[in-house]
Amino acid sequence: MRRLPTTFLLAVVFLLPSAALAGAVEQWGTFELTLKGPVDGNPFTEVELAATFTQGTQSVHAAGFYDGEGVYRVRFMPPTVGEWAYRTASNRKELDAQTGTLIADKPTAGNYGPVRVRNTYHFAHADGTPHASVGTTCYAWTHQPEKLEEQTLATLKAGPFNKIRMCVFPKWYAFNRSEPPRYPFAGTPPNRWDFTRFDPAFFRHLEHRVGQLRDLGIEADLILLHPYDEGHWGFDRMPAAGDDRYLRYVLARLAAYRNVWWSLANEFDFMKQKTDADWERILKVVHEADPYRHLLSIHNGTRLFNQTDPRLTHASIQNGSAVADFGRAGLYRDVYRKPIVFDEAKYEGDFGQRWGNLSAEEMVHRFWQGTIAGTYVGHGETYRRPDEVVWWSRGGTLHGDSPKRIAFLRNVLAEGPADGFDPIDKWQDDRTAGKAGEHYLVYFGKERPTAWVPDLPGKQKSLTLTAEVLDTWNMTTTPVAGTITLKPKDNYRLTADPPTPIPLPGTPYLAVRLRAVAPKK
Amino acid sequence: MRRLPTTFLLAVVFLLPSAALAGAVEQWGTFELTLKGPVDGNPFTEVELAATFTQGTQSVHAAGFYDGEGVYRVRFMPPTVGEWAYRTASNRKELDAQTGTLIADKPTAGNYGPVRVRNTYHFAHADGTPHASVGTTCYAWTHQPEKLEEQTLATLKAGPFNKIRMCVFPKWYAFNRSEPPRYPFAGTPPNRWDFTRFDPAFFRHLEHRVGQLRDLGIEADLILLHPYDEGHWGFDRMPAAGDDRYLRYVLARLAAYRNVWWSLANEFDFMKQKTDADWERILKVVHEADPYRHLLSIHNGTRLFNQTDPRLTHASIQNGSAVADFGRAGLYRDVYRKPIVFDEAKYEGDFGQRWGNLSAEEMVHRFWQGTIAGTYVGHGETYRRPDEVVWWSRGGTLHGDSPKRIAFLRNVLAEGPADGFDPIDKWQDDRTAGKAGEHYLVYFGKERPTAWVPDLPGKQKSLTLTAEVLDTWNMTTTPVAGTITLKPKDNYRLTADPPTPIPLPGTPYLAVRLRAVAPKK
């Protein structure tokens, strides 16, 4: 935090005698107002606390929360730089009508703000920096021993991923049947909980990890509810009031972290205790409790949620088959008209279950299928380990061969159109994406071509491009000498004139990238 | 119509002096109440007329319409057999409070009632008879010379289709730029119309044709609005009040025909004069004006309508690519959870435009792709003709090679599960559909297999089936001698034990049909 000059500090206190100057924070950073309050009764349910942060005509209403031992906090993520004033509201006199100001400084290096939807099907940070989502999944990584969690962070730091799917609650499932170090509620494991009393230590730990992810430039796609409990702890079957209280508590604590995304559930339809009406209520609670409109989604098992709901910012879809071959994934773009993220496309691994035994080649292929369709794909890894530490659930280290190829793809995405990769000729050409006239990526999937005569969708009179051959598996980029000029072939396509083929190595998983010599006017 | 005994007729008149006994009609037939009324002013806009038909606790509210020359009519499709009483309501005394009764007899042969959704993704008539939709398209067939229209009917009678997409309004488009014999409104062509005055002769002609389709067992998928006018007549850009009046008039006249389906538009998104709010209003008007809840859909150009709206009974989709290869069409089932009908999958023909130059093989292949995905596909034909009579628009005769193969498929559908063909193992096996344990259809598409060892998704301990090889192009069904027993191969699939291959002819477009010797218990 930037320190304010003492003279200014004094001036503020002098001019606004009722205000406590709270300090400074950077834009999209997390400001925290700490107050002492009552400890009697049940502060989690009996004490109401919120604050309104105001700058000019804009204001943000942030819920506060009880952090134990008489400490109450209200967190705030300033959406703009400059001075913000706040005022608390509470049903307890000692927490009510507290006022003050803070200064939001310019964001420091690596802080691009929260991720938003841009260009209908894509993402960008609030400052405009494109965000091509390249996610992974470690459902229960924050419920592990300290050393393992630190190892996971080190792996993430070295890896290609800019998003991680992770559960707030611990997981009770194959390869995960152990008690975690912390629990979200007061009570006794496995299943005697007081759902009206949270354990702040659990959440402080979670926040610590989310903050570390933020500092690594990784989005935390927080899975708020999940079925991998099977009633063991019963966090999957709390009464509605329990769910709502929990959701509001999580949001009060974490909404001011710029790198959080809300995932209402993993495999929502596998939570058999919940009805469609429950999910509607849960969506409403989360949507209304978030003053920042973080990305918000819900992930399916076999039954898709109605992703047309405008409160869902993007469609988080499990369906590996949709990115297994050409012409599939893009269908979801048409029906939802929002970013499509295949948050589960099966896992690279050697599990007996068919959802957990993709080859690395297939995992990488699915990332490319998603890319060429104008969608995004998430990674996961399920190799059996003697210690049962499987990345998909506990984190640790990566053992597969896909991550470095995914890093190669991430560079291709970063060098791609700022608006994202879109199909150039939807429903007609399912292997060409990019931006018409400027940037083309043609993916050949499992074919093994030995040559390709450039041939692209379009109606331009002429197009001059440079080309590179990308071997997506061997991670090589080979420029083609000179430039290629394409001329109309028919009403729909352009082809190289003269029709000189680009030699290709006859291996699978090839792509050709073509970029305009001078951008289209 | 059945004649009532005279004594009964007298008795009714005696007991209910205010009632006029209207006669008899069959269930799901069209009863018509005819009344004389005012001719002054504009009867289309100034006279309100409706009738409520009542039987016990159920009632149907049917709008009436002015049919010209002082004649007013109210039509009614009895949803159940037995006596129905009616009472009119009007803002004109001579049309108001008219009462009477009618008898709905049992339906006669070929009358199965209107088509409804059944089993989420499929259709059946009201009496339970399955309806596997096999449609075609002749957009402007009712706007042609008498002789051509009769020829179209003769072609339909001999063909495989049980549904036809057809526009209420005439069409002004390539191969269709001629003035039709009749216009829906009073006025002077091409574009001086009084949208407040209908021409009853136009609608009587349309009804006549819809009635003839009904008698052929063909559903009339009536396209209420379309963009192929380009302002020539201006029926594509009426003011909202004009659209609404027109829609209500069409529904008042035609809702009592059991074989009508409402298609709000063809390529709705190509009607650039209309906004999303217009479509919402149009959907509401049509939905509310239909007392029978006929099938209701809207067809897209390149932008899909939000087909999740529960008032839309099925998703009418244009996207040829979705049925061009495996694993695509079924994605729409998941997102919409209603029947999927590819009402435009491109056309068999030789047009220069790519939407109109499918080979017959490709058209038939798309029907099979749709089938194997648990969806339905529509046919269309666009061969250039010296006389410009192209089936797709004007009707006439069929010149393509797909219809007889589609007839072959229609038989396969008819012999299929009464509940329809569903994927047996969604997202895992995209070439096997049917009903688990009972009926399996495995389609090989463009592969040219010479043998196939039966291998099906399932967890049964044992399954004994008979098999037939279907050559979908050559229209042959070849039984495989004996029976085949399948045993578990892994957790997900069964395979033939012993693994005896079924010989296949090494040609494309093959399928194998397997049926349980004794249905699964």
Side-chain angles (χ1 to χ4, degrees), chain A residues 300-304 306 308 318-319 321 326-328 331-332 334-337 346 353-354 425-428 430 492, chain B residues 300-304 306 308 318-319 321 326-328 331-332 334-337 346 353-354 425-428 430 492:
Chain A
N300 63 285
T302 56
R303 180 183 150 213
L304 268 68
N306 184 352
T308 61
Q318 170 173 198
N319 179 0
S321 81
F326 292 102
R328 299 177 182 181
L331 300 186
Y332 288 122
D334 296 322
V335 299
Y336 294 135
R337 296 175 66 78
K346 298 191 174 178
Q353 295 93 330
R354 60 188 177 182
D425 193 6
K426 184 179 85 162
W427 302 351
Q428 305 291 342
D430 51 28
Y492 304 109
Chain B
N300 63 285
T302 56
R303 181 183 149 212
L304 267 68
N306 185 353
T308 60
Q318 170 173 197
N319 179 2
S321 80
F326 291 101
R328 300 177 182 181
L331 300 186
Y332 289 122
D334 295 323
V335 299
Y336 294 136
R337 295 174 67 77
K346 299 192 173 178
Q353 295 93 331
R354 59 189 178 181
D425 193 6
K426 183 179 86 162
W427 302 350
Q428 306 291 342
D430 51 29
Y492 306 109

Side-chain angles (χ1 to χ4, degrees), chain A residues 2 103 146 202 231 242 296 308 315 323 344 386 409 462:
Chain A
R2 202 186 72 174
I103 304 292
E146 173 76 11
F202 175 94
L296 172 57
T308 61
V323 282
E344 208 175 330
L409 170 61
S462 175

Side-chain angles (χ1 to χ4, degrees), chain B residues 99 240 262 266 319 339 356 372 404 440:
Chain B
T99 62
W262 312 122
N266 217 61
N319 179 2
I372 217 73
K404 61 182 176 178
Y440 299 87

Side-chain angles (χ1 to χ4, degrees), chain B residues 353-407:
Chain B
Q353 295 93 331
R354 59 189 178 181
W355 51 261
N357 61 13
L358 293 187
S359 66
E361 287 86 346
E362 182 65 26
M363 173 57 83
V364 177
H365 172 67
R366 292 182 179 200
F367 267 81
W368 276 84
Q369 280 291 348
T371 299
I372 217 73
T375 65
Y376 298 93
V377 181
H379 162 271
E381 187 181 293
T382 48
Y383 284 106
R384 280 171 292 180
R385 307 295 304 169
D387 58 5
E388 295 207 339
V389 177
V390 181
W391 177 259
W392 140 81
S393 182
R394 297 187 170 182
T397 55
L398 287 159
H399 305 276
D401 291 318
S402 68
K404 61 182 176 178
R405 277 86 184 183
I406 293 169

Side-chain angles (χ1 to χ4, degrees), chain A residues 32-355:
Chain A
E32 185 170 280
L33 175 66
T34 305
L35 300 165
K36 291 294 285 184
V39 295
D40 57 303
N42 184 345
F44 293 106
T45 57
E46 293 167 23
V47 179
E48 294 163 17
L49 172 63
T52 301
F53 294 81
T54 307
Q55 182 187 68
T57 55
Q58 67 175 322
S59 67
V60 173
H61 185 78
F65 63 92
Y66 183 56
D67 203 24
E69 298 175 357
V71 175
Y72 292 79
R73 303 184 198 278
V74 185
R75 290 176 180 158
F76 169 58
M77 179 181 78
T80 52
V81 298
E83 185 174 300
W84 285 81
Y86 65 79
R87 181 184 183 89
T88 67
S90 176
N91 61 346
R92 293 299 184 105
K93 195 168 186 307
E94 58 269 51
L95 297 172
D96 190 45
Q98 304 292 307
T99 62
T101 60
L102 64 111
I103 304 292
D105 290 335
K106 285 189 177 172
T108 55
N111 172 1
Y112 311 110
V115 175
R116 310 291 192 204
V117 171
R118 188 172 69 178
N119 192 25
T120 307
Y121 302 106
H122 304 285
F123 300 106
H125 289 272
D127 75 348
T129 305
H131 178 83
S133 183
V134 177
T136 189
T137 303
C138 303
Y139 289 122
W141 82 273
T142 61
H143 305 286
Q144 307 304 322
E146 173 76 11
K147 198 172 159 187
L148 179 55
E149 294 186 2
E150 291 295 335
Q151 189 184 44
T152 303
L153 283 165
T155 304
L156 288 169
K157 185 176 180 180
F161 306 112
N162 59 17
K163 189 190 82 157
I164 186 168
R165 283 180 68 73
M166 52 190 278
C167 298
V168 174
F169 287 139
K171 189 175 168 188
W172 189 262
Y173 196 75
F175 300 98
N176 305 269
R177 296 195 209 278
S178 58
E179 293 295 327
R182 297 161 209 89
Y183 297 95
F185 301 103
T188 312
N191 56 17
R192 296 185 61 185
W193 306 111
D194 180 352
F195 292 139
T196 72
R197 290 178 187 269
F198 300 99
D199 184 342
F202 175 94
F203 292 93
R204 279 196 290 267
H205 175 74
L206 175 65
E207 289 153 12
H208 175 58
R209 294 309 187 199
V210 169
Q212 289 174 298
L213 292 172
R214 175 197 59 213
D215 297 340
L216 293 175
I218 297 174
E219 304 295 308
D221 198 0
L222 284 180
I223 297 166
L224 300 169
L225 297 164
H226 69 71
Y228 323 116
D229 181 315
E230 301 169 359
H232 173 74
W233 300 298
F235 306 148
D236 60 339
R237 56 199 68 185
M238 292 190 288
D243 280 341
D244 295 356
R245 193 185 307 111
Y246 154 73
L247 294 167
R248 291 193 181 103
Y249 191 72
V250 171
L251 268 83
R253 295 196 70 116
L254 280 148
Y257 285 72
R258 65 176 171 272
N259 63 320
V260 297
W261 301 17
W262 312 121
S263 177
L264 299 185
N266 217 61
E267 297 187 324
F268 84 96
D269 48 322
F270 291 174
M271 299 190 75
K272 299 301 182 192
Q273 284 76 20
K274 299 212 188 300
T275 65
D276 286 352
D278 285 326
W279 291 114
E280 171 59 29
R281 195 196 71 249
I282 288 164
L283 172 54
K284 187 170 190 285
V285 166
V286 173
H287 182 73
E288 291 181 354
D290 178 9
Y292 308 108
R293 294 285 178 265
H294 286 286
L295 293 177
L296 172 57
S297 70
I298 183 167
H299 168 274
N300 63 285
T302 56
R303 180 183 150 213
L304 268 68
F305 198 85
N306 184 352
Q307 303 279 1
T308 61
D309 191 302
R311 294 168 295 185
L312 298 171
T313 55
H314 60 287
S316 169
I317 293 177
Q318 170 173 198
N319 179 0
S321 81
V323 282
D325 208 345
F326 292 102
R328 299 177 182 181
L331 300 186
Y332 288 122
R333 285 175 42 118
D334 296 322
V335 299
Y336 294 135
R337 296 175 66 78
K338 55 180 70 170
I340 307 299
V341 184
F342 292 96
D343 276 314
E344 208 175 330
K346 298 191 174 178
Y347 299 90
E348 180 189 347
D350 60 5
F351 275 20
Q353 295 93 330
R354 60 188 177 182
W355 52 260

